[in-house]
Amino acid sequence: MLLNISDLRRKRFTFSEASSPWSVASEPNDRWAWWLKQILTPIIVAIGFGGNSLSFVVMKTRSWRHKSYSHFLCALAVFDSLTLINREILLVHELREYAGDSGLYAGFSDTACSIHNFYEHMCYLMSSWLIVCMAMERVVAVYFPLRKAFLCTQHGALIVILALVMLLTYTQVFRFFMVGKIDDKCVAFTDYLTVYTSLHVYLYQFTLIFILPVVIVLTCNILVLYRIYRVKKLRRPEDYALPRSRRNVAKTHKTTLMLVTISFVYVVTLFPSVIVSVIVHVAIATRYRGMRQLFHRLYPFMDIFELCSDINYCSNFFTYILSGKVFRFELRRIFAWEKSTAVTTTKVKDDFALI
C-alpha cells in the first residue's frame, strides 16, 4: 500500500553521490525490518487466507447465506484474500530482485503492467469500502428496524457491491494509461510520473483508502452506539431483572465490542503506512535537502508499517469468532467438533446483529 519506491526512484531528483539515494535498504543496519517482513508476511498470508476461506464457507451455510450482509462478508473475505496474495507476490518479487534476478515483471508488457497495477489497488479499495457498506447497513438496520426487510436484502447487497466496483473502477482508470513497463519494472511513465504520484497518494491512498472510509465508518458506528444507548436509557430498571433483558444487555455489549474492534483495527493498522507515504511524497515534492537522511530513517519503519497493515486483512475471522455465537456454532459444525443442534430463527437473528 505504500507509495511504490520504483516510481520514487525515477522522480526528478538528482544527487551528487554516485550511488542512488533510494538504495537505503542496502545498508546492513537497515535490513532488519526488510528481513522481518520477508519472514512474517508468509505467516500472516497463510493465517489470513485460511481464516478468510473459513469465513467464506461459514457465510455460505444455511444459517447465513440468506442474509444481506453475508454477501458483504463473503466479498470482504475474497478481496482480503486477494490482497494478501498480492502481498506475497510482491514479496517474491522483492526477494528475486535481492538475489540479482530481474523480478516477476520482466516478461510483462505495458498493458500487463497497467492491468496488474489496477487490479492490485482495486483489491485494497474493495476491502476498505466493503467495511463502509457494512457500517452503513448497520445504521439502516438500527434506525429503520421496521423497514429493514425491504432495505437490507440480498439483491440490494449484490447491487451495492456491483455499483461499488464500477465506482471504484472509475476512480482508478488513470492507471491504465499512466503505468507501463520500464527497465523490467511496472512503474509510472516519465511523462505522467508527477500526476500519477499525486493521484496515487492524495486521491487513492490518502482519500479513498483512509480519510473517507475511516470518517464514514466512525460516524456510522457512533450513530449505532448512540441509538443503542438511547434504547437502553428508555428501558425501565425493572426490565433488566428479566433473563431475556440480561441477554439483550450482553448482546449490546458484544455489538459495541464489534463496532469498536472493526474501527480500531482498521485505523491502527493502516494509519502509520498512509502517513509515512504522504510524508515521503511531500519531502520529494518540496526537494528537501535531507532527503537521503530522511529515507535512511523512514525506510525500516515503512517495512514495519506495511507488515502491520497486513494484519487488517487477516483479522476479521478472529473478530467473528470472538463476537458471534452462531459463527462459532457453524464453524464447529463444519468441522464436526460437536453434533449439529437446531438453532431457532430468533437466536440466529439476534446473533446476526453482532456483525
Side-chain angles (χ1 to χ4, degrees):
M1 182 174 299
L2 291 175
L3 188 62
N4 195 332
I5 298 300
S6 299
D7 287 340
L8 295 179
R9 287 175 182 166
R10 301 178 53 251
K11 192 71 177 174
R12 289 174 298 181
F13 229 3
T14 57
F15 289 84
S16 59
E17 294 86 351
S19 60
S20 172
W22 308 104
S23 60
V24 292
S26 61
E27 297 294 337
N29 293 334
D30 292 336
R31 300 301 296 181
W32 64 271
W34 187 84
W35 280 113
L36 184 64
K37 185 179 71 172
Q38 309 304 310
I39 295 172
L40 294 183
T41 297
I43 298 175
I44 294 176
V45 171
I47 294 174
F49 185 80
N52 290 330
S53 299
L54 289 175
S55 298
F56 185 89
V57 172
V58 171
M59 297 305 160
K60 290 300 181 181
T61 58
R62 183 179 304 175
S63 300
W64 292 81
R65 62 190 177 195
H66 298 298
K67 301 299 179 179
S68 61
Y69 45 78
S70 67
H71 295 290
F72 290 119
L73 296 177
C74 285
L76 183 63
V78 170
F79 282 103
D80 281 353
S81 297
L82 291 176
T83 299
L84 291 173
I85 292 174
N86 293 337
R87 290 284 219 236
E88 185 64 25
I89 292 175
L90 181 60
L91 192 76
V92 174
H93 173 72
E94 292 178 354
L95 286 173
R96 289 191 58 174
E97 285 191 324
Y98 177 78
D101 294 338
S102 56
L104 297 179
Y105 310 127
F108 277 30
S109 62
D110 288 341
T111 302
C113 280
S114 60
I115 293 175
H116 173 75
N117 186 276
F118 170 81
Y119 153 76
E120 182 180 16
H121 294 94
M122 273 295 294
C123 290
Y124 289 123
L125 284 174
M126 286 299 297
S127 293
S128 298
W129 283 91
L130 284 169
I131 295 177
V132 173
C133 291
M134 290 190 296
M136 295 176 68
E137 188 186 48
R138 285 197 299 270
V139 173
V140 173
V142 170
Y143 280 86
F144 307 99
L146 298 180
R147 303 182 63 182
K148 177 183 176 182
F150 301 97
L151 297 176
C152 303
T153 63
Q154 297 182 66
H155 295 295
L158 293 175
I159 292 174
V160 169
I161 293 174
L162 292 177
L164 186 62
V165 171
M166 290 188 292
L167 180 62
L168 294 179
T169 297
Y170 175 75
T171 65
Q172 300 302 301
V173 71
F174 67 91
R175 300 183 185 277
F176 284 112
F177 58 89
M178 291 188 181
V179 176
K181 179 185 176 183
I182 300 178
D183 298 331
D184 292 335
K185 299 181 184 298
C186 290
V187 294
F189 291 121
T190 303
D191 295 339
Y192 298 110
L193 185 57
T194 302
V195 178
Y196 171 82
T197 303
S198 298
L199 289 173
H200 178 85
V201 172
Y202 296 113
L203 173 64
Y204 162 76
Q205 192 174 63
F206 201 59
T207 302
L208 295 178
I209 284 290
F210 188 74
I211 294 296
L212 283 181
V214 168
V215 169
I216 295 175
V217 168
L218 290 178
T219 301
C220 291
N221 287 347
I222 291 173
L223 290 175
V224 170
L225 293 175
Y226 176 75
R227 183 66 174 179
I228 293 174
Y229 168 77
R230 290 288 298 173
V231 171
K232 181 180 178 181
K233 188 176 180 180
L234 292 175
R235 293 178 64 89
R236 295 174 301 177
E238 55 269 20
D239 292 338
Y240 292 97
L242 300 175
R244 184 176 179 82
S245 297
R246 289 198 298 268
R247 289 197 300 267
N248 290 336
V249 172
K251 290 172 183 177
T252 300
H253 291 166
K254 289 183 178 180
T255 304
T256 303
L257 178 62
M258 167 65 78
L259 295 171
V260 172
T261 301
I262 290 176
S263 302
F264 181 79
V265 172
Y266 187 81
V267 173
V268 169
T269 56
L270 298 185
F271 181 79
S273 60
V274 173
I275 295 302
V276 169
S277 294
V278 173
I279 292 175
V280 170
H281 173 70
V282 171
I284 295 175
T286 57
R287 300 195 177 190
Y288 177 56
R289 292 183 178 181
M291 177 57 61
R292 187 181 180 91
Q293 291 76 13
L294 178 64
F295 266 81
H296 271 292
R297 295 178 181 179
L298 287 183
Y299 195 87
F301 297 100
M302 293 169 72
D303 287 325
I304 294 298
F305 294 153
E306 184 177 350
L307 184 64
C308 179
S309 66
D310 291 343
I311 298 176
N312 176 66
Y313 304 103
C314 71
S315 61
N316 291 332
F317 173 74
F318 303 100
T319 304
Y320 302 153
I321 289 179
L322 293 175
S323 60
K325 290 182 179 179
V326 174
F327 186 90
R328 294 195 296 269
F329 169 82
E330 292 293 343
L331 195 61
R332 289 194 298 266
R333 188 177 64 82
I334 290 174
F335 286 96
W337 289 347
E338 66 181 18
K339 293 183 179 180
S340 177
T341 57
V343 180
T344 64
T345 304
T346 302
K347 179 177 177 60
V348 173
K349 187 183 297 184
D350 290 341
D351 282 290
F352 280 159
L354 301 181
I355 297 181

